[in-house]
Amino acid sequence: MNDLASKFSGVKTVAIAGHVRPDGDCVGSCLAVYNYIKTYFPAITVDLYLEPIPNIFKFLENSDKIKSEYPKMPEYDLFLALDCGDTSRLGKASVYFEEAKKTICVDHHISNASFADENYIFPKASSTSELVFELLEEEKITKAIAECIYVGMVHDTGVFQYSCTSAKTMDIAGKLMEMGIDFSAIVDKTFYEKTYNQNRIMGKALMDSELLLDGKVIFSVVTAEDMRKFDVLPKHLDGIVNQLRVTKDVEVAIFLYEAGELGFKVSMRSNGKVDVAKIAIGHGGGGHVRAAGVTMVNSAEEIKETLLSEIAAQLGM
Ligand SMILES: [Mn+2]
């Protein structure tokens, strides 16, 4: 499979893009390919388009070269879509996709409809970054490229913990470790590290949480006022729902935060018995069996009652 290089013959211009609201796998896979082209194909003009990335990923090589503006460009010879299930997820970069002479998609989302000219879709892969590793010649993976791939794998596997983690994932991670990356610092700095205020608002969310349905459900809410008081943004609330989920004997964790006139953003995590995607989809959201989200316009109390009755039904309570 390690033949990405063969796609560059006769190619002078390349655009790379990932999905809107880029996460670790999106940033990692895109920068890995960008750095690979920069290193081994210096004659190619390559542009990487992503919405502004989280600061935690800015230590990755060439993260400062990412373009978050989308001017009218001459058509690209090749467009690489990474970690993206469909063209709408490309956001504003989709115009370059539509115009490109050739398109390639590398992705692991099961919903991917093979929308490019050439598609490398492997839903069993832990991450797009894992697929990028396989598309590159191993001996050409520099330390900088290895860091990008490692970040992507760490983030999409929750530090090699989610069920998408395979023996192959660990094998690749081991090879990356041997390339001299500072793997413990990468995990600490990009995954676990929280600001003081992030820790404090998580503390508040945990303190205020309620156990419901005989301890099978844990529920907590962060209001807009809480966010003002602790001086945090919605993105700083990542991780709260996962901390709620690991409460002993809990089947489902529900976390809400207030999103102005949009109502509440609802995140749900299941430990396996409840399909939270089914519940989220029923209210216009989406996700996976064990992790799903939806926006609901109602009071927090009413949202809680609605979700609880659906969870109770699934649990046969
Ligand atoms: Mn991914």
Side-chain angles (χ1 to χ4, degrees), residues 23 25 83 108-109 127-128 156:
D23 60 10
D25 186 32
D83 202 32
H108 67 129
H109 291 99
S127 51
T128 299
D156 262 22

Side-chain angles (χ1 to χ4, degrees), residues 213 273-274 309-317:
L213 292 186
K273 286 192 184 149
V274 174
S309 69
E310 293 178 28
I311 292 166
Q314 282 201 36
L315 288 171
M317 296 175 77

